[in-house]
Amino acid sequence: MGLDCLPVCHVLHPFHAGKLLSQVTCWLGNMFSLRPVLQWSCINICTQLDPPSYFFGTIHVPYTRVWDFIPENSKKAFQQSHIVYFELDLTDPYTISALTSCQLLPRGENLQDVLPRDIYRRLKRHLEYVKIMMPSWMTPDQRGKGLYADYLFNAIAGNWERKRPVWVMLMVNSLTEVDIKSRGVPVLDLYLAQEAERLRKQTGAVERVEEQCHPLNGLNFSQVVFALNQTLLQQESLRAGSLQIPYTTEDLIKHYNCGDLSSIIFNHDASQVPNFINATLPAHERITAQEIDSYFRQELIYKRNERMGRRVKDLLEEYPDKSFFFAFGAGM
C-alpha cells in the first residue's frame, strides 16, 4: 500500500452494525501493525456511502518530530472531516483537573507514609539528582521561550509526595534527558486537538478520564511497589552507566516516521506503561512482572479497545452524514 493511498471507512447499514463493531475493535487492536499515516479501510465489509471517516494513529511525541513525514492526503482528511475525536479531550480544563485528581493519594496520606523506607529514600535521591541535572538538559530554544528548569521540574514532579506510587513510577520514567528536551512543544495528539479547535471543528472524546485512570490505580500494593522498585533500579543503572536501554524515544519516532509499526518498540509503547518482564528476574519476581503485564494488557488494551470500538460504532451510526477523523494512539 503506497503513501498516496488513502483507504476510506464508510458507515454500514444498521443490518451490519455488529460486523462494524468487530471490525473497529480489530483496527484498534492491530493499530501497531499498520502505517500511522494511513487510514484504516473497512471497504471490504462496507456499503459505499459518503462521506468517508478516517482512523489515524498518533504517538505521544512533539508534533514537530513527525509532522513533516505525514502525507498530505492524511492532512487533507483531517482538514475535510466534520468532527474530530480523540481518546481524551486534552484542551478541556476538566480533563486536566480530573487527571491530576485521580493521581493523588487519599486525603491526608503521603508517599512517605505508604512506601517502604528504602524505596522512598531512593526515590527522593533520584528526584534530587534529576533536579540538579535538569538545567544542563534544557535546550537553548527552551530557554529562549522562557522555559526554565525549576519551572519544568515543578510542572512535572511538583506535589510528588502526594501522588499514588503507580503515577510516581510513570513520572520517573518521563524525567529523562530526552523527554525533558522535548518539553515545550505540543505532542501530536494535543497539536491535532488545538488545530481542530482553531479550525472550529466539532471535537469529542471516546473515553472518560476515569476509564484511563482507574485501571492504573487498580494494581495491588505489592505490584505497585515492585513496579516502582524496578523503575528505580533501571534509572539507577542508567545513571551508573551499567545499563543501556534497548529502545529510546528517538527509535520510536524513527519507526513511526518510517511506518514500521510492527516493531517491538510499538509493543512497548502500547499502553504507556513499562514492561517489567526480563530474563534476569528471580522466578517469583518474574511471576509478578507477568501478572502486571497481563493485567495492563487486559485493562488498557483489550477491554479498552472493545469499549472504544463500541463508541466509534455508535457515533458512525448516529451521524451517517458526517465525516469523522478519529485520532488514537498507534500502539493501543
Side-chain angles (χ1 to χ4, degrees), residues 116-165:
R117 185 176 301 177
D118 174 61
I119 290 183
Y120 176 80
R121 287 175 176 172
R122 287 165 54 211
L123 171 62
K124 191 173 182 179
R125 189 161 57 242
H126 179 70
L127 292 178
E128 288 170 352
Y129 161 82
V130 169
K131 190 168 186 177
I132 290 170
M133 294 300 297
M134 196 173 281
S136 67
W137 293 348
M138 303 287 290
T139 66
D141 185 56
Q142 285 173 317
R143 287 190 286 270
K145 293 177 179 177
L147 197 60
Y148 292 97
D150 284 346
Y151 168 81
L152 192 54
F153 181 85
N154 288 328
I156 301 171
N159 207 26
W160 65 269
E161 295 204 48
R162 285 278 299 118
K163 289 189 176 185
R164 295 174 184 267

Side-chain angles (χ1 to χ4, degrees), residues 62 80 104 130 139 143 182-184 253 286 303:
Q80 294 182 344
L104 297 178
V130 169
T139 66
R143 287 190 286 270
S182 72
R183 296 285 176 152
I253 291 169
R286 198 176 309 127
K303 287 184 180 179

Side-chain angles (χ1 to χ4, degrees), residues 305-320:
N305 287 347
E306 183 176 355
R307 182 173 63 241
M308 291 171 70
R310 288 186 182 278
R311 289 173 185 168
V312 167
K313 163 189 167 289
D314 291 344
L315 285 165
L316 292 174
E317 290 183 335
E318 187 175 355
Y319 303 101

Side-chain angles (χ1 to χ4, degrees), residues 19 59 208 273:
K19 204 170 187 181
I59 56 173
R208 295 187 291 273
V273 175

Side-chain angles (χ1 to χ4, degrees), residues 45-62:
I45 65 165
C46 291
T47 305
Q48 300 279 337
L49 296 177
D50 283 326
S53 288
Y54 309 93
F55 283 85
F56 181 79
T58 66
I59 56 173
H60 205 67
V61 301

